[in-house]
Amino acid sequence: MTGTFPNVSISTERLVLRPFEESDIEAFAEMMNDELVTTWTSVPQPYTEADARDWISAQAPAERADGRGIVFAVDEFLTQRLVGTVRLSNTDWRVRSAEIAYVIAPWARGEGYASEAALATAQWLFHDQKFERLELRTAADNTASQQVAQKIGCISEGVLRGAWIARSRAADGTWTDVRTDVIVWSLLPEDLAGAGEQLADTDGFASYSDWN
């Protein structure tokens, strides 16, 4: 059983989650070159505008068209500035489950945008798409992302030992791969009752899938 997510936009009090556009390439590439994004994700380093163009124009649309998931650009409503991105992947249409990943731009951290965008995506997935499970994976040392998981109501299910490769930057600027444990979290429709309407967090990154 395979389905396809609709090509939609989602609005919250402060954010708009929408399909990516070609005009996002420069801002997206800049965001994905941030040191914390490089640390916790598998994106190429450096992340070029050619990488961003390929993701926005080809790979992200294919995620939705092929039924694997959906990718949202996240804008600040008032300024229309790119705040970050949210991705649903590893979608199982029979089980009605998906995995969520998110990245927040450095300038937008500390405003609660990660929690707001993730919660809005979960609400849309459960209420509009009738899904029954949302999964989130965070590196054991990525406390900021773990705080986001907790604030949207996720339940920690266990630890996958040595299941992810993070990256550490040396004083000379070079990057080294570092194996780390992964915490698995889940969110079910009934868990949403525990998430407050107003969320504040330090923002974070949960991106344990290949962005490119």
Side-chain angles (χ1 to χ4, degrees), residues 34-108:
D34 175 66
E35 183 167 343
L36 286 179
V37 176
T38 302
T39 298
W40 298 121
T41 75
S42 59
V43 298
Q45 204 291 318
Y47 194 90
T48 67
E49 289 195 7
D51 292 323
R53 182 180 301 276
D54 183 52
W55 176 252
I56 288 172
S57 64
Q59 294 189 56
E63 292 272 302
R64 190 184 71 82
D66 295 344
R68 299 193 303 268
I70 189 169
V71 179
F72 293 108
V74 182
D75 279 351
E76 193 174 48
F77 178 76
L78 290 179
T79 65
Q80 298 185 356
R81 190 176 179 184
L82 185 67
V83 165
T85 182
V86 173
R87 177 188 182 189
L88 294 178
S89 62
N90 297 325
T91 304
D92 188 321
W93 291 92
R94 181 175 180 273
V95 178
R96 308 299 287 184
S97 69
E99 181 179 335
I100 189 170
Y102 45 82
V103 172
I104 299 297
W107 69 268

Side-chain angles (χ1 to χ4, degrees), residues 35 38-39 45 166-178:
E35 183 167 343
T38 302
T39 298
Q45 204 291 318
R167 289 177 281 199
S168 175
R169 191 170 192 174
D172 63 0
T174 59
W175 289 93
T176 303
D177 288 347
V178 180

Side-chain angles (χ1 to χ4, degrees), residues 2 13 17 20 29 40 62 65 71 82 104 116 121 140 144 146-148 162 182 185 200 208:
T2 302
E13 183 178 351
L17 285 69
F20 269 102
W40 298 121
V71 179
L82 185 67
I104 299 297
E116 188 170 332
T121 303
Q146 292 163 29
Q147 290 171 4
V148 174
V182 169
W185 306 78
Y208 302 96

Side-chain angles (χ1 to χ4, degrees), residues 40 138-142 146 159-165 178-184 208:
W40 298 121
T138 66
D141 292 332
N142 191 350
Q146 292 163 29
V159 176
L160 302 178
R161 296 183 299 164
W164 185 249
I165 301 294
V178 180
R179 185 167 293 278
T180 181
D181 295 345
V182 169
I183 302 174
V184 179
Y208 302 96

